[in-house]
Amino acid sequence: MLDGRPLIDAHVHAARLPTLKPAWRQCAHDFGDTSALEQVYDDEGTISPARFDAYLAGQGVDVALLLAEYSPKVTGIQPVEDLLPLTGTPRARLVANINPHLHYPVDTELERQVGLGAVALKIHPVHGGFPANDRALYPAYAVCQEARLPVVVHCGTSTFPGSSNSFADPVLLDDVLRDFRTLDVVLAHGGRGWWYDAAAFMALSSERVWIELSGLPPSRLREYYARHNWARLTRRMIFGTDWPGVPGIARNARAVAELCPDEQTASLVLAGNAAGVYHLKPEG
């Protein structure tokens, strides 16, 4: 709980440092809280489950969604197996990751990761080098629709070397939403770069599309979405930080809450929406 409200951070990278490329580490150093990294990582670059859980508790986090990533060209491979020790703690949950260039059959691999406890599927077209409407992904989307698991899609620019930013365009998800009519889609980074309007339009026009705030400074949110009804749009938002590339989880959460038009909306953004989409039960 943070200030009496449940808090879910829907976008956390808790990778082992040896699996990461230099650009990722530099980003965490430039934009994150280095003292937090020193607090949770051991000398071998692995996060201590006990220290990490204590850190999340200190930030007021009830549930943190941990992201694996299979993007060897851009950030490296952070396999789901590296996250399993952390998911044994009270607050951490696993999010699966599929790259159609690496995984076949994609549905079999996704089912394996779901069997390890994954509560959602994350795809990273920009780092993986594939469009979200690639038909090779459809068997995985079918698994998610049947199991009522949301699909989280990186929807925003990336400055990491090797990224393919043309694949961040949310219009590529139009086919997916048409073909999977009960699938929840979460737009990670909310259209960061030059797709804010498209992301907002999709979230306001479909009850199955959500804007996730990871990587977006709260002080700029009203500017990014200035062309849209703020009171309506905030009710379509899910809080996430992109930790460790953030000054602090609690700091961001408080800043986001201050932007919400009322207490009910703040509670939805900080936990309620994520609890519903990801089928979570945060304390309180």
Side-chain angles (χ1 to χ4, degrees):
M1 302 280 283
L2 179 68
D3 304 331
R5 302 186 189 99
L7 179 62
I8 296 174
D9 188 339
H11 200 113
V12 172
H13 295 279
R16 292 178 55 249
L17 296 182
T19 69
L20 297 163
K21 292 200 171 182
W24 192 100
R25 298 193 195 192
Q26 190 63 47
C27 179
H29 179 271
D30 292 345
F31 299 104
D33 180 0
T34 54
S35 64
L37 298 180
E38 294 170 357
Q39 179 180 337
V40 302
Y41 276 98
D42 63 23
D43 293 338
E44 297 180 350
T46 299
I47 292 181
S48 160
R51 291 186 215 165
F52 189 56
D53 188 66
Y55 170 76
L56 293 175
Q59 293 291 309
V61 176
D62 295 286
V63 181
L65 301 185
L66 310 186
L67 307 182
E69 187 169 333
Y70 294 86
S71 301
K73 184 171 68 172
V74 179
T75 60
I77 293 179
Q78 297 91 55
V80 295
E81 287 77 10
D82 283 355
L83 300 175
L84 293 182
L86 301 177
T87 60
T89 61
R91 292 171 176 81
R93 303 291 185 275
L94 175 67
V95 174
N97 185 268
I98 294 292
N99 183 331
H101 298 311
L102 298 178
H103 299 121
Y104 182 84
V106 293
D107 51 348
T108 300
E109 174 58 21
L110 175 57
E111 288 168 348
R112 184 186 76 85
Q113 295 184 31
V114 170
L116 295 174
V119 300
L121 167 63
K122 164 79 180 294
I123 62 167
H124 206 312
V126 171
H127 288 175
F130 55 86
N133 61 355
D134 190 327
R135 292 308 190 268
L137 290 165
Y138 270 36
Y141 295 154
V143 170
C144 288
Q145 180 166 257
E146 178 66 23
R148 299 180 63 233
L149 300 177
V151 175
V152 184
V153 183
H154 178 103
C155 180
T157 53
S158 171
T159 59
F160 290 165
S163 298
S164 301
N165 283 311
S166 61
F167 290 141
D169 191 340
V171 73
L172 297 170
L173 288 162
D174 189 56
D175 292 339
V176 177
L177 291 165
R178 179 200 64 208
D179 295 337
F180 296 91
R181 300 187 63 81
T182 61
L183 185 68
D184 276 309
V185 174
V186 178
L187 305 179
H189 314 300
R192 182 177 60 199
W194 48 88
W195 294 290
Y196 293 116
D197 286 336
F201 179 85
M202 292 176 68
L204 289 171
S205 60
S206 173
E207 63 180 12
R208 296 183 290 123
V209 178
W210 304 84
I211 287 181
E212 189 240 87
L213 300 176
S214 57
L216 303 181
S219 62
R220 303 286 299 278
L221 289 177
R222 295 295 297 264
E223 173 188 342
Y224 292 156
Y225 300 109
R227 297 176 60 185
H228 303 273
N229 184 306
W230 181 250
R232 286 186 60 213
L233 188 61
T234 49
R235 297 180 73 86
R236 307 298 305 162
M237 290 179 175
I238 289 174
F239 178 76
T241 59
D242 213 11
W243 188 93
V246 62
I249 298 174
R251 175 177 168 180
N252 266 36
R254 289 187 173 113
V256 168
E258 286 294 320
L259 295 172
C260 292
D262 52 55
E263 176 61 29
Q264 182 185 48
T265 303
S267 295
L268 287 173
V269 176
L270 296 187
N273 288 337
V277 172
Y278 294 92
H279 309 294
L280 303 171
K281 294 182 179 180
E283 182 180 346

